[in-house]
Amino acid sequence: MPTSPTSKTSAVTSQTGAPTSPTPDQNAFYSRAPAPHLSSLPISPFSQSVDRRQPVSTTTYGALTPLTPLASSQPLAAHFAVQSEDSIQAARSSPGQRNSPPSTSTTLSYPLGSDAGEAYRMRSLPKTARMAPRLATMRDETTSSTALESGTLGGADEVHVSLSGDGRPVVGGKKATEATADSLDYVVEDMFGGEGSLKTSTIGDDGEPEDEDSPYLEVRASVSNIDDPDMPVLTFRLWTMGLGMCIISAALNTFFNFRYPSPYISPSLILLLSYPIGKIMAYALPMRAYQAPKWLGGWEFTLNPGPFNVKEHALILIMANVAVAPPYSMNVIVTSEMYYSANFGVGFNFLIVLATQLTGFGFAGLCRRFLVWPASMIWPQNLVASTLLNTLHAEEDLGDSGQGVSRYKLFMIAGAAAFFWYFVPGYLFNALSYFSWVCWIWPNNVVVNQLFGTVSGLGMGVITFDWTQIAYIASPLMMPWWAELHTGIGFLLSVWVLAPALYYSNIWNFPYLPMLSPFSYDKFGQVYNVSMVVNDQMQFDLEKYNLYSPVWLPCTFAVLYIFSFALSTAAISHTILHHGATVWNGIRRVNVEKEDIHYKLMKRYPEVPHWWYAVFAVFFWLLAIVAAYVWPTELPFWGLMLSILVPIVYLIPAGFIYALTGLGLGINLVSESIAGVLLSGKPVANMIFKAYSLETLENTLAFVQDLKLGHYIKIPPRATFVAQVVATFLAALIQVGVKTWLFSAVPDICQPTQAHNLTCPRNSVFFTASVLWGLIGPIRQFGPSSPYYPMVWSALVFGTLAPLPFWLLARKYPDSFWKSVNIPVLLIAPTLLPPATGINYSSWFVVGFIFQYVIRRRFFQWWTKYNYILSSALDSGTIISTILIFFILQFPKNGTLVLEWWGNTVSFETLDASETLPRLYQIPPEGLS
C-alpha cells in the first residue's frame, strides 16, 4: 500500500538565504542517508497488486525490503543476525545503484495492517551524513530499545526500521547512536494504516551533503521536501467529503451572509472536520477492488485505497477554499433586486457568479510561472496549512525523547487551550477583548478615547487578550518579519502620526467628525443618507443633492484613500523597477529562478497546459459579455473590456505582494473610480464593473494560492485542476440556489424588522457604496471642486515616484538594507481601516515582534519546529469556539442570552463605544462648509 512521506528536515539555510552546511547544533536540522531518485524506484512491493503472502525478493534501490517475520518475543539482534549478507553485497556492487542520480527523497513503504513485529531493512548509499547525536524509539519504550541503542545491528551503511511487539516503529543500525528520531519523522498509525517518511540530503560526487531543500527557512520549517508519487489522490473519499463539505459550507455561508450576527464556516474548520471523517472512512470502507461493466470500459476502482493521506486532505482544503466564501457578485444580484428593481432571474445570477469566478481561475493558471513555481513565492498562508497537514499525517506523535513535545501534541494542547480560553473574552469577560483600560479611567475624555479606544479609537493601549482581535489582519505568527515590520511602520506613520496630525490640525473639518469610523457623513455630522439624493426611480437627483449635502469623510477614511491612491501607482512602479526583468523573462518562457526541490518533485507529474487555463479565461469572459447583453444591465462592451483590463494590470503586482507577505492588495478604489467616472448614473452597470474587476483579481489570487498549496503537498496538477473546477461549479450552483430559495420563501427578507435577523447588512452597505460611487460619483467627491482633490493627485504622484529612490539606493549599495525596502507593503498597512481598528494593528505587531523577531532569533530551533503549528492551533481552537458560542449561546435567542456584569459592560460605557462616537468639536447649526 503506498504511503505518504510528509515530514521535513533539511540542511540549514543562513539568514541571508544562502545554503550552508548542516552542523549538529544548527536548529535540529538533520541529514539522512540518501537513496536514488524516486523516479528510479520500483513500485512498492506492498501495493495492492502484490500478494503479501509471497516473499519479496531483495532490491538494490534503497527501498524497504521485508525480511522474515519476527515473533514479538524474538530479540531483534538475533533476528538480524540470521539474515544473509549476500543481498547487502549485491546492493553495494549494483551498477544501477552506483550510477543512480543524487537523491532528492527517500520513500518508505510498509503493508497496511501488517503483523506486529514484521521487520524491514532499509539499505542506503555509503558516505551517509548523519548529524544527530542519539537514537530514540519512535513512540514508547519497547523491549528492543536496548539492543537497538547498542548500535550492534546491521552493516555500517544500513538503517533498520522494525515494528515492535506493540506495533510501534523502532530504528536501529551499526551507527545507531548517530541516528535520531527527529531525522526519521516516521509514524505508523497502528492498525489503521500508516505513513512513513525520511528526510534526505543529496550526497554529491565529493561525498559532501548538498542542499536538497528550499532555500527559504520558513518553507523548510513547514513543507516536506519528499513525495510519494504512488499516493492516491482522486479517491472516493476525496469526492465524497470534498463535494459534501462544499455543499454544506456554501449553503451555510450563503444563508449566514444575509444574517446579522452570523458565523463563518472557514476552510480551516473544514480541514479539521475532514480529518477524523477521513480516518473513519479509511477504517470502515471495504478494501476491495471493483470492476465496472465492460460496456463502461471495464475499469477497476476501489472505495478504500488505503490510509487517508495528506494529498486527499489538502485537496479537500483546496475545494473548500473555492466554496466557502459567498461570491462578491452576490452583492450585485441582491442590491439590484432589492434597491433598483432589476431582477434578472436565476439564469443571469448563475452566469455572473460563474463568470466572475472562473475567469480568475483561467488567469491563475497563466500566472504559475510567476507566482507558483518560483521558490521565492513562499505564500505564508500555505506554510501554516502545510505544517498542520504534515503534523496530522506524518507527525502525530513521534515521541521526541527529550527534545520537547511533538508538533501533534502541541497542536492538541494549544488548540484545546485556545478553544476554552476564547469563551472568556468572547462571552464571559468581553473587557479582555476590548481592553481599553485607559478609557476606563477617563471614560468621558474625548482625546483619550480617540487615541486609546479599542472600538473606534487608534488602539494605543496595545493590549488585548482576544486572539480574534490580534489575528484580525492575519496571524502574526504567519507573516515574515520584514513584512510585519513594513506594515507596522506603515501603520505607525499613517494612523498614529498622520491621522492625529490631520485631525487635531482641523484639516477638512475632521475634528467635527469621529476620528475612526466606517461611515461617510453629511454636513450635519450624521451618517450620509443616500435616499436623500435619489428619486423614486432610484436615479440621482442633482437638485436634491444640492439641497442635502456633499459627502464628508472622517479622518481615517481620508487617510485610507490617500494610501490607497498612492498604493495603486506604487505597486505598478515597484513591480517594474524590482521585478521587471523577472516578468519579462517569464513572458519569454525563461526560467525566472533556479528550480528548487519542490519544483523538481512536481516535474514527475503531467502539467496542466497553459491553453487549458486560457480557454477558461476567454470562455467565461465571453459568458460575462453574454450575461451583460442578454439582460438589460446597461453595461457596454467596452465597459467589460475595461473591467477585465484592471485586474490584468494589477495581477502580477498584487500576486507578488500576496505571495511574499500574505497581505492582499485591493483595487476597490481603482475600480470604483473608473466605473464611477465612465458609467456615472448607471448603478447596476457600475456594480457589475466593480464586481467583475474585484472578483477576478481576488479569485485569481485565491486560485493561485491553492495551486501553490498543491505544489507544496505534491498533488498532481491535473488533479488540482479538476477539483477546483468541479468545486467552483458546484459552489456557484448551491450559492445561487440558496439565495433564490431564501428570497422566495422568507418573508420580509432584508428588512430591518425581519423576524430571524435576515436583514442583509452587507448588501445595505454595498447599496450605499453604489450610490456614492455610481450615482454621486467620484468627480463630485474627489474632483476639482472637492476639498479632497489635492489629496488624490498628490497621492498618485507620490506612489509613482516613492519606490524610485530606494531602488536606486539598492542598486548602488546592493548589500545594504535598502534592498529590503518595499514601498507598496508599507502603503498597504492602513487599507483595512475600517473595519479594522487600531488595536488590531498594534496588538498584532507586538505579538509578531515577539515570535517572528525575538523568538526566531534567540530560540530558532523552537521557532522552526513549533511556530507555524502554534499559529494553526490558535486559529483552529478559536474558530471552533466561536462557532459553538454562536450556535449555543447567541443563535437560539437572537443574541439576547448575555451575562450582564461589569466585565461585559465596562468597555461599552465609554465615549469610545458610544453610538455617536467621540468628536472634538460640535458641528455648527448651519452645518459644515
Side-chain angles (χ1 to χ4, degrees):
M1 185 78 49
T3 55
S4 160
T6 51
S7 67
K8 68 236 153 302
T9 297
S10 64
V12 180
T13 296
S14 68
Q15 293 289 340
T16 62
T20 61
S21 300
T23 57
D25 59 342
Q26 278 186 305
N27 314 312
F29 280 103
Y30 303 109
S31 299
R32 290 294 300 168
H37 196 279
L38 281 175
S39 60
S40 65
L41 293 178
I43 297 177
S44 168
F46 310 124
S47 62
Q48 288 184 316
S49 60
V50 177
D51 187 351
R52 298 178 189 147
R53 295 171 296 179
Q54 301 299 323
V56 181
S57 60
T58 58
T59 177
T60 62
Y61 288 100
L64 291 176
T65 306
L67 303 176
T68 56
L70 170 66
S72 59
S73 59
Q74 181 181 5
L76 272 176
H79 173 70
F80 279 107
V82 301
Q83 303 303 318
S84 171
E85 295 292 356
D86 294 340
S87 60
I88 301 174
Q89 297 299 327
R92 292 172 179 171
S93 62
S94 169
Q97 182 144 346
R98 287 195 303 269
N99 298 328
S100 60
S103 169
T104 56
S105 61
T106 301
T107 299
L108 283 82
S109 300
Y110 50 85
L112 178 67
S114 57
D115 294 334
E118 185 172 9
Y120 305 98
R121 172 182 298 158
M122 177 178 170
R123 278 184 281 282
S124 59
L125 292 175
K127 299 183 180 179
T128 300
R130 296 187 179 97
M131 309 305 299
R134 60 176 176 75
L135 170 75
T137 56
M138 296 288 91
R139 291 198 180 192
D140 299 324
E141 296 295 327
T142 67
T143 56
S144 304
S145 60
T146 303
L148 285 170
E149 293 191 11
S150 66
T152 60
L153 305 181
D157 298 310
E158 297 171 14
V159 177
H160 304 287
V161 181
S162 66
L163 298 179
S164 62
D166 58 356
R168 304 185 185 279
V170 184
V171 183
K174 179 168 283 188
K175 293 188 177 182
T177 55
E178 296 177 0
T180 178
D182 292 330
S183 62
L184 273 171
D185 287 356
Y186 185 91
V187 61
V188 173
E189 297 173 348
D190 297 326
M191 302 306 293
F192 291 92
E195 303 169 13
S197 62
L198 276 176
K199 199 67 156 187
T200 66
S201 293
T202 296
I203 303 300
D205 295 335
D206 57 356
E208 294 299 323
E210 297 176 356
D211 188 23
E212 281 294 335
D213 210 332
S214 170
Y216 298 94
L217 293 176
E218 293 85 355
V219 179
R220 289 178 179 237
S222 312
V223 182
S224 172
N225 70 342
I226 56 179
D227 180 36
D228 180 1
D230 296 325
M231 188 179 294
V233 180
L234 297 178
T235 63
F236 173 78
R237 287 190 302 252
L238 168 78
W239 291 118
T240 303
M241 286 191 292
L243 296 182
M245 292 189 175
C246 278
I247 292 172
I248 295 172
S249 60
L252 287 177
N253 281 337
T254 303
F255 172 82
F256 287 122
N257 182 62
F258 302 113
R259 191 184 189 277
Y260 181 83
S262 63
Y264 177 67
I265 311 300
S266 68
S268 299
L269 183 62
I270 293 177
L271 177 106
L272 295 173
L273 292 176
S274 60
Y275 180 69
I277 297 174
K279 288 293 185 181
I280 293 172
M281 293 182 73
Y283 174 69
L285 291 176
M287 295 185 62
R288 54 165 295 187
Y290 299 90
Q291 188 169 17
K294 291 185 178 179
W295 58 274
L296 288 177
W299 51 279
E300 291 187 353
F301 67 94
T302 178
L303 301 180
N304 189 354
F308 179 54
N309 64 66
V310 67
K311 295 187 181 183
E312 292 175 284
H313 203 175
L315 208 51
I316 291 171
L317 175 61
I318 289 173
M319 296 174 73
N321 284 335
V322 170
V324 295
Y328 191 80
S329 53
M330 188 67 71
N331 294 307
V332 178
I333 297 169
V334 175
T335 304
S336 300
E337 294 179 7
M338 297 301 299
Y339 299 100
Y340 296 108
S341 301
N343 190 339
F344 299 132
V346 176
F348 172 84
N349 297 346
F350 182 70
L351 288 182
I352 198 67
V353 168
L354 205 57
T356 52
Q357 296 194 63
L358 285 178
T359 303
F361 173 71
F363 287 153
L366 298 175
C367 292
R368 290 170 296 172
R369 185 177 299 276
F370 306 102
L371 301 177
V372 176
W373 299 337
S376 61
M377 301 293 108
I378 64 174
W379 292 90
Q381 302 94 326
N382 286 336
L383 301 183
V384 177
S386 297
T387 303
L388 178 56
L389 287 165
N390 284 332
T391 298
L392 293 176
H393 289 272
E395 303 174 24
E396 273 190 272
D397 192 348
L398 300 182
D400 295 290
S401 300
Q403 295 296 311
V405 298
S406 68
R407 282 182 170 178
Y408 182 77
K409 285 184 178 178
L410 179 74
F411 174 77
M412 297 302 294
I413 294 171
F419 170 81
F420 289 110
W421 169 252
Y422 184 71
F423 277 87
V424 179
Y427 185 75
L428 301 174
F429 197 169
N430 294 155
L432 295 181
S433 178
Y434 299 96
F435 198 72
S436 51
W437 59 275
V438 180
C439 299
W440 302 347
I441 301 174
W442 295 284
N444 297 315
N445 187 295
V446 172
V447 176
V448 167
N449 280 264
Q450 287 177 334
L451 298 181
F452 294 91
T454 56
V455 177
S456 64
L458 302 187
M460 291 186 178
V462 175
I463 301 173
T464 179
F465 299 92
D466 183 352
W467 182 250
T468 62
Q469 296 272 30
I470 297 171
Y472 182 85
I473 302 169
S475 172
L477 281 65
M478 175 266 292
M479 287 179 59
W481 167 243
W482 73 267
E484 291 185 336
L485 180 61
H486 275 75
T487 307
I489 293 174
F491 168 76
L492 176 68
L493 295 177
S494 61
V495 181
W496 281 6
V497 176
L498 179 60
L502 293 175
Y503 189 88
Y504 296 118
S505 299
N506 195 13
I507 304 296
W508 296 325
N509 290 322
F510 285 149
Y512 295 97
L513 302 174
M515 180 176 286
L516 191 152
S517 171
F519 304 108
S520 299
Y521 292 86
D522 59 23
K523 64 181 180 180
F524 303 106
Q526 303 299 314
V527 175
Y528 201 88
N529 186 356
V530 294
S531 65
M532 298 290 290
V533 298
V534 295
N535 57 26
D536 295 338
Q537 289 74 40
M538 299 306 296
Q539 296 175 338
F540 178 69
D541 191 320
L542 180 58
E543 184 178 352
K544 295 180 68 174
Y545 171 80
N546 291 330
L547 290 175
Y548 177 47
S549 172
V551 179
W552 291 92
L553 300 176
C555 181
T556 51
F557 230 138
V559 171
L560 162 66
Y561 284 159
I562 291 172
F563 275 67
S564 295
F565 279 121
L567 178 61
S568 66
T569 53
I572 298 175
S573 177
H574 178 90
T575 301
I576 293 173
L577 293 173
H578 290 269
H579 306 288
T582 299
V583 174
W584 176 244
N585 288 334
I587 294 174
R588 294 165 52 215
R589 298 201 170 192
V590 177
N591 287 339
V592 297
E593 289 184 14
K594 181 181 178 182
E595 297 176 354
D596 71 339
I597 180 62
H598 305 294
Y599 184 74
K600 293 177 183 177
L601 292 176
M602 288 297 289
K603 288 171 70 174
R604 66 163 52 97
Y605 301 109
E607 191 54 79
V608 179
H610 281 306
W611 69 265
W612 289 16
Y613 287 105
V615 167
F616 266 82
V618 173
F619 176 79
F620 285 98
W621 178 66
L622 294 175
L623 203 64
I625 295 177
V626 170
Y629 270 83
V630 171
W631 286 272
T633 63
E634 298 184 304
L635 180 62
F637 173 77
W638 60 263
L640 269 175
M641 288 286 293
L642 196 56
S643 71
I644 200 65
L645 182 62
V646 173
I648 290 176
V649 169
Y650 282 97
L651 182 53
I652 297 301
F656 282 152
I657 293 174
Y658 202 21
L660 295 174
T661 68
L663 292 171
L665 187 156
I667 58 171
N668 302 53
L669 207 57
V670 177
S671 299
E672 290 170 332
S673 299
I674 294 175
V677 171
L678 300 179
L679 299 169
S680 181
K682 299 178 179 179
V684 175
N686 191 289
M687 290 188 297
I688 295 176
F689 182 102
K690 176 183 173 182
Y692 203 68
S693 293
L694 292 182
E695 196 160 10
T696 297
L697 179 60
E698 291 176 0
N699 283 325
T700 298
L701 297 181
F703 280 119
V704 171
Q705 179 182 335
D706 289 341
L707 290 175
K708 187 67 174 188
L709 178 61
H711 187 84
Y712 279 155
I713 305 298
K714 318 301 181 298
I715 300 174
R718 297 189 179 185
T720 304
F721 179 91
V722 172
Q724 287 182 315
V725 171
V726 172
T728 304
F729 268 94
L730 181 62
L733 187 63
I734 296 299
Q735 289 159 349
V736 172
V738 171
K739 178 265 167 193
T740 303
W741 170 75
L742 282 174
F743 279 72
S744 62
V746 177
D748 300 326
I749 191 168
C750 292
Q751 300 301 319
T753 57
Q754 211 285 325
H756 303 289
N757 289 340
L758 294 171
T759 57
C760 309
R762 294 174 180 84
N763 304 118
S764 62
V765 173
F766 193 83
F767 165 68
T768 301
S770 73
V771 174
L772 293 176
W773 291 95
L775 294 180
I776 298 176
I779 293 179
R780 291 186 180 88
Q781 292 189 66
F782 302 111
S785 61
S786 168
Y788 305 115
Y789 179 65
M791 171 186 80
V792 177
W793 64 261
S794 60
L796 292 173
V797 172
F798 173 81
T800 303
L801 300 178
L804 182 59
F806 299 102
W807 177 73
L808 293 174
L809 287 170
R811 287 176 61 87
K812 185 174 182 179
Y813 307 104
D815 296 328
S816 66
F817 74 93
W818 297 115
K819 66 180 180 181
S820 301
V821 176
N822 192 308
I823 296 299
V825 177
L826 188 144
L827 294 174
I828 211 172
T831 56
L832 291 177
L833 287 168
T837 62
I839 193 65
N840 301 134
Y841 281 91
S842 57
S843 60
W844 170 83
F845 181 77
V846 169
V847 175
F849 171 77
I850 293 172
F851 280 91
Q852 298 291 66
Y853 183 80
V854 176
I855 293 179
R856 190 177 190 270
R857 283 175 173 262
R858 297 188 178 182
F859 308 98
F860 185 73
Q861 179 177 349
W862 186 98
W863 183 92
T864 300
K865 186 172 184 179
Y866 296 126
N867 180 72
Y868 290 113
I869 198 63
L870 178 61
S871 175
S872 182
L874 294 174
D875 289 342
S876 301
T878 304
I879 287 171
I880 297 174
S881 182
T882 303
I883 296 293
L884 287 181
I885 288 175
F886 175 81
F887 281 108
I888 295 176
L889 300 174
Q890 294 180 347
F891 188 75
K893 293 188 176 182
N894 289 328
T896 59
L897 188 61
V898 296
L899 297 178
E900 293 289 344
W901 74 290
W902 176 85
N904 283 342
T905 61
V906 63
S907 295
F908 304 99
E909 294 174 346
T910 63
L911 287 178
D912 172 48
S914 63
E915 292 185 2
T916 57
L917 302 181
R919 308 171 189 221
L920 193 63
Y921 300 147
Q922 294 294 321
I923 294 181
E926 65 277 11
L928 301 176
S929 59

